[in-house]
Amino acid sequence: MPPIIEPKPTPPQYPSTPGSPSNGWYGYWGQVTAKKKYAILPERNFLKSKDKKLFKLVDRAGYTRVRKAMHPSAQDLTPFIYFLAAITNFNKQTLLELSNTNIRRSTYLGQERIIFMPAKPRASGHIQPRSFPVTADRDNPATIVTFLIHWTKAARTAANTKTKNIFAFVPRDRGSRQIIKPIFDPIKRDSPEFNQHAPAFCKTLGMNRNVGTRIIRATGADLARNVFPGNPVAVEMLLGHVNWLTSHPAYRSDDAKRKDESALAGAMAARERWLRTQGAIDERAEGKTRDRRSATPGFLCLDPFNSPIPSEKQGRLCSAYGFCPTCPLTQPDRDEGYALARMLQLRELAIRARTDVGPEAWKARFEPILNALDEIWLPAITSEDALSKAERMKLSNLPPLQ
């Protein structure tokens, strides 16, 4: 029995007025639908008056849902702009002018990567490269770029546009003569549409202020400073600046300024303590990974500016070198091997001090240190790993007790 071949349904014919200047939008849409390319959705009222049958179908599905499925508006592009701004840390113009011509893919060491190579207009065309591994994740930059291009492909093809900008959209203003246009206006050197929709997008995320691309770049600069402390060149490279002197004053958030002020205050307090103790407490002698607030190496201090030691002043960094074992605010360093090695050094200094001062002075000043070490701190460290590590450690000598 021969197979039954069902006739293909005849596609609906929608009215069009090719070449009509006064009816350009709908006439254009009619041409593309005749070619089975539903690229541009006409205005709601215009569609309702010209094709009620199609309007009912679109209205039933939801006009905005159908329009979003077919092509983006400027508002629809806003989340993608924010996402790529956070990922790339480009400035506003560089980001919004991203196009197919400065995005490519390459494979390095067996890993496919997407590479952004835009030129920064304000830096005399300086290229700002960004490279990311290509994965199947939804938030991967390659996935986002591919989606944006695919989202506007039909509209681009139908409009026969030359724009390569990945942030292209169909204007809501049907009086515009542009079927599809880039989000960035090269004449105005800005993006009125993005500026209009950005505050509303931030509000939907619960932000109490409009977070622009400049704030995002400043946050990226802060992160670079945390990853590469003391390396202004790394921040300069991230921001695409020719000179790091541009990056430092212009892209420092309030939080970064507070951190810098706090670090400066800490350095000043440490230097003042170093001078006051005649070099006995020198933070530079300890590694950067060590907690250096305590007056005695091998110990940690819970509140170095409020020492209960009688000789110390409130609000001033504690300078009671050697007396940490007797202080209620102390605790041993988290590295037990290091703490044990330093405690044994301090114990030797406490014993040696017997020959430097009289018996009564030693008993009043240094015997409590020795007793605290022998009765509290040394017995608390029983780990075999800590004992073995302390034996192998080669540490600098501690200054004599005063």
Side-chain angles (χ1 to χ4, degrees):
M1 182 177 180
I4 299 175
I5 302 177
E6 297 182 0
K8 294 182 180 180
T10 304
Q13 300 297 316
Y14 299 108
S16 62
T17 52
S20 171
S22 60
N23 207 13
W25 271 90
Y26 192 77
Y28 175 77
W29 176 77
Q31 295 178 60
V32 296
T33 52
K35 299 176 183 178
K36 300 180 183 179
K37 291 185 179 295
Y38 301 83
I40 308 296
L41 185 64
E43 282 184 299
R44 183 192 299 267
N45 292 335
F46 197 83
L47 183 62
K48 184 177 182 179
S49 64
K50 295 295 182 179
D51 195 322
K52 294 182 179 180
K53 182 178 180 181
L54 179 59
F55 172 77
K56 289 180 179 180
L57 293 174
V58 172
D59 193 56
R60 185 182 305 167
Y63 180 89
T64 301
R65 291 181 60 190
V66 174
R67 195 268 309 153
K68 284 186 176 183
M70 294 177 64
H71 48 72
S73 66
Q75 183 179 7
D76 298 331
L77 293 177
T78 303
F80 298 94
I81 294 172
Y82 269 99
F83 180 81
L84 287 181
I87 293 293
T88 63
N89 221 244
F90 289 146
N91 69 10
K92 184 177 179 180
Q93 182 175 357
T94 304
L95 173 68
L96 297 183
E97 286 189 320
L98 272 176
S99 67
N100 297 343
T101 57
N102 47 42
I103 301 175
R104 61 186 177 87
R105 294 195 184 195
S106 296
T107 301
Y108 295 94
L109 300 176
Q111 171 68 61
E112 186 181 13
R113 303 185 71 86
I114 184 170
I115 304 171
F116 298 86
M117 299 285 289
K120 186 178 180 183
R122 292 172 57 185
S124 303
H126 178 66
I127 300 297
Q128 299 185 74
R130 297 287 189 275
S131 174
F132 305 94
V134 175
T135 68
D137 297 331
R138 290 186 178 183
D139 59 352
N140 185 265
T143 305
I144 299 297
V145 170
T146 302
F147 172 74
L148 288 172
I149 294 174
H150 178 75
W151 199 5
T152 56
K153 182 178 179 180
R156 290 173 190 268
T157 303
N160 194 25
T161 180
K162 295 182 179 180
T163 180
K164 300 294 183 180
N165 192 296
I166 66 170
F167 296 116
F169 68 99
V170 175
R172 291 182 177 179
D173 178 15
R174 294 304 198 257
S176 171
R177 300 309 303 164
Q178 288 182 280
I179 300 297
I180 187 169
K181 61 182 290 189
I183 194 81
F184 189 82
D185 190 330
I187 298 177
K188 296 179 180 178
R189 298 177 65 85
D190 201 355
S191 176
E193 291 86 1
F194 175 70
N195 296 341
Q196 175 187 352
H197 296 297
F201 175 72
C202 293
K203 188 175 181 179
T204 60
L205 297 181
M207 302 179 186
N208 57 5
R209 59 179 294 189
N210 179 26
V211 178
T213 55
R214 186 179 183 86
I215 296 177
I216 294 176
R217 276 169 65 77
T219 304
D222 288 351
L223 294 174
R225 292 187 183 97
N226 292 337
V227 176
F228 305 102
N231 187 355
V233 177
V235 181
E236 169 200 325
M237 293 179 64
L238 174 68
L239 297 178
H241 291 154
V242 178
N243 193 312
W244 69 270
L245 293 175
T246 306
S247 311
H248 186 70
Y251 288 94
R252 291 172 67 224
S253 66
D254 293 340
D255 184 57
K257 293 175 183 178
R258 285 192 293 268
K259 288 181 180 178
D260 290 346
E261 292 170 356
S262 177
L264 179 60
M268 292 173 65
R271 176 172 173 77
E272 189 270 338
R273 181 169 67 174
W274 175 74
L275 292 171
R276 188 162 17 98
T277 61
Q278 299 180 356
I281 305 177
D282 189 354
E283 293 189 1
R284 296 169 297 179
E286 297 299 307
K288 291 184 178 180
T289 58
R290 303 290 181 191
D291 190 310
R292 297 179 288 180
R293 295 172 296 176
S294 173
T296 309
F299 292 88
L300 304 179
C301 186
L302 299 178
D303 194 354
F305 285 94
N306 291 288
S307 174
I309 303 296
S311 61
E312 299 306 303
K313 293 182 179 180
Q314 296 295 305
R316 189 178 71 176
L317 195 59
C318 178
S319 59
Y321 166 67
F323 290 88
C324 291
T326 65
C327 179
L329 297 179
T330 195
Q331 62 183 36
D333 192 281
R334 285 179 288 270
D335 184 346
E336 287 191 338
Y338 172 76
L340 178 59
R342 286 302 194 190
M343 288 179 189
L344 292 173
Q345 285 183 319
L346 183 61
R347 185 178 187 278
E348 287 296 321
L349 292 177
I351 295 174
R352 196 179 303 167
R354 284 175 173 172
T355 62
D356 300 329
V357 298
E360 294 299 324
W362 182 87
K363 188 176 183 64
R365 189 170 180 82
F366 299 121
E367 187 178 40
I369 299 175
L370 185 62
N371 291 340
L373 288 171
D374 289 344
E375 297 173 9
I376 301 174
W377 302 113
L378 290 174
I381 302 178
T382 59
S383 168
E384 292 293 335
D385 292 339
L387 296 173
S388 176
K389 185 176 182 179
E391 291 178 353
R392 299 192 309 269
M393 268 193 163
K394 294 181 179 180
L395 300 173
S396 60
N397 295 326
L398 293 178
L401 296 176
Q402 300 175 358

